[in-house]
């Protein structure tokens, strides 16, 4: 089931964490209770990597990853890059992106098989996503790009999307990405889903202000109560 957390004074957990099925990156600077909650859920299953990216704790905002690889921005320092590479499981590819875009988590949602990317991303970057993350890249038409990245969260079991998404968009995304999509919110009505939460195939972390009804939707969409 989904877990509610607070990082310092806010609940934008998706900006601080990047959770996958094989590792969890989490930003430095949180409280002991914050890290102990994550460790209680993940410590015996996957590595938890405390780090910064470009000197900031917002690792979920500045990287995108899955079980196959991790893309980090050009602002990542050599020390940070070395620490991340040493800490990741064997076989996970790490690639810094030598271009201006840095906030990958606000433009791209991905699981282990497919990525949902904003239509304005350059073609070369689309190829890099495919090469490093080992996924197909779905770039919806411009009128639907609003729902990519910030307003969508994706796992191998489901997708949560902005509550204004029409049935047509839900059906198109479900067919293209091969997971069921449902509309929802996090953190007491926030439509900024990716900044507000992070998820893998068996658990999720979201802000402490997330309501019980929002948690129920998250658990149902991502099938977190199923084996």
């Amino acid at each position: 089931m989904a877990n509610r957390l607070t990082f310092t004074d806010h609940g934008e957990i998706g900006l601080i964490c990047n959770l996958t099925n094989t590792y969890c990156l989490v930003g430095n600077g949180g409280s002991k209770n914050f890290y102990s909650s994550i460790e209680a859920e993940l410590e015996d299953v996957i590595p938890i990597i405390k780090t910064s990216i470009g000197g900031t704790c917002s690792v979920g905002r500045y990287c995108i990853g899955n079980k196959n690889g991790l893309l980090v921005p050009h602002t990542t320092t050599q020390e940070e890059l070395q620490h991340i590479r040493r800490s990741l499981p064997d076989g996970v590819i790490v690639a810094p992106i030598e271009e201006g875009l840095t906030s990958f988590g606000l433009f791209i949602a991905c699981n282990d098989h497919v990525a949902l990317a904003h239509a304005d991303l350059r073609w070369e970057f689309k190829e890099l996503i495919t090469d490093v993350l080992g996924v197909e890249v779905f770039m919806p038409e411009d009128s639907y790009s609003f729902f990519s990245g910030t307003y969508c969260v994706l796992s191998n079991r489901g997708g949560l999307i902005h509550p204004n998404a029409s049935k047509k968009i839900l059906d198109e995304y479900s067919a293209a990405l091969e997971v069921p999509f449902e509309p929802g919110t996090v953190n007491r009505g926030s439509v900024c889903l990716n900044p507000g939460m992070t998820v893998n195939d068996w658990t999720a972390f979201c802000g402490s202000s997330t309501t019980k009804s929002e948690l129920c939707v998250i658990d149902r969409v991502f099938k977190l109560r199923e084996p």
Side-chain angles (χ1 to χ4, degrees):
M1 62 182 294
N3 302 271
R4 291 184 286 196
L5 303 175
T6 298
F7 182 83
T8 60
D9 60 348
H10 68 82
E12 300 298 305
I13 303 304
L15 296 181
I16 304 301
C17 294
N18 185 355
L19 175 62
T20 77
N21 287 333
T22 51
Y23 59 87
C24 178
L25 260 64
V26 59
N28 294 322
S31 67
K32 183 178 180 180
N33 286 341
F34 174 77
Y35 295 115
S36 62
S37 297
I38 294 176
E39 289 164 358
E41 191 73 17
L42 302 176
E43 192 170 36
D44 296 330
V45 187
I46 58 176
I48 302 165
I49 305 166
K50 297 178 186 177
T51 187
S52 58
I53 289 183
T56 79
C57 62
S58 299
V59 300
R61 174 175 182 154
Y62 293 115
C63 68
I64 185 75
N66 63 8
K67 70 173 185 179
N68 303 312
L70 178 70
L71 293 168
V72 297
H74 61 87
T75 54
T76 308
T77 68
Q78 283 302 310
E79 291 79 10
E80 292 166 342
L81 198 55
Q82 289 173 7
H83 169 59
I84 292 170
R85 280 181 170 146
R86 283 196 306 266
S87 305
L88 285 170
D90 293 341
V92 177
I93 302 169
V94 184
I97 310 303
E98 300 300 329
E99 63 170 75
L101 181 66
T102 57
S103 298
F104 304 133
L106 302 184
F107 291 90
I108 305 162
C110 78
N111 59 21
D112 292 334
H113 310 290
V114 67
L116 176 64
H118 196 281
D120 289 341
L121 288 181
R122 289 171 21 194
W123 180 258
E124 308 93 282
F125 190 56
K126 177 182 177 181
E127 289 185 322
L128 193 59
I129 296 172
T130 298
D131 292 343
V132 174
L133 302 185
V135 298
E136 294 184 41
V137 181
F138 174 57
M139 302 176 77
E141 60 186 66
D142 290 347
S143 58
Y144 292 173
S145 285
F146 169 75
F147 297 105
S148 304
T150 300
Y151 304 104
C152 174
V153 180
L154 191 61
S155 80
N156 294 331
R157 310 188 80 180
L160 192 67
I161 198 168
H162 192 292
N164 286 351
S166 66
K167 186 178 185 302
K168 178 182 178 182
I169 293 174
L170 292 174
D171 291 344
E172 180 175 325
Y173 280 26
S174 296
L177 304 179
E178 299 183 348
V179 294
F181 272 81
E182 288 190 37
T185 58
V186 71
N187 287 334
R188 200 175 295 276
S190 173
V191 298
C192 295
L193 299 170
N194 206 321
M197 66 170 291
T198 187
V199 65
N200 66 10
D201 284 355
W202 68 85
T203 192
F205 300 113
C206 54
S208 58
S209 59
T210 302
T211 66
K212 289 184 178 179
S213 60
E214 288 172 331
L215 288 175
C216 288
V217 173
I218 291 169
D219 285 345
R220 183 180 70 247
V221 170
F222 297 110
K223 302 176 176 64
L224 299 181
R225 293 185 180 272
E226 297 180 13

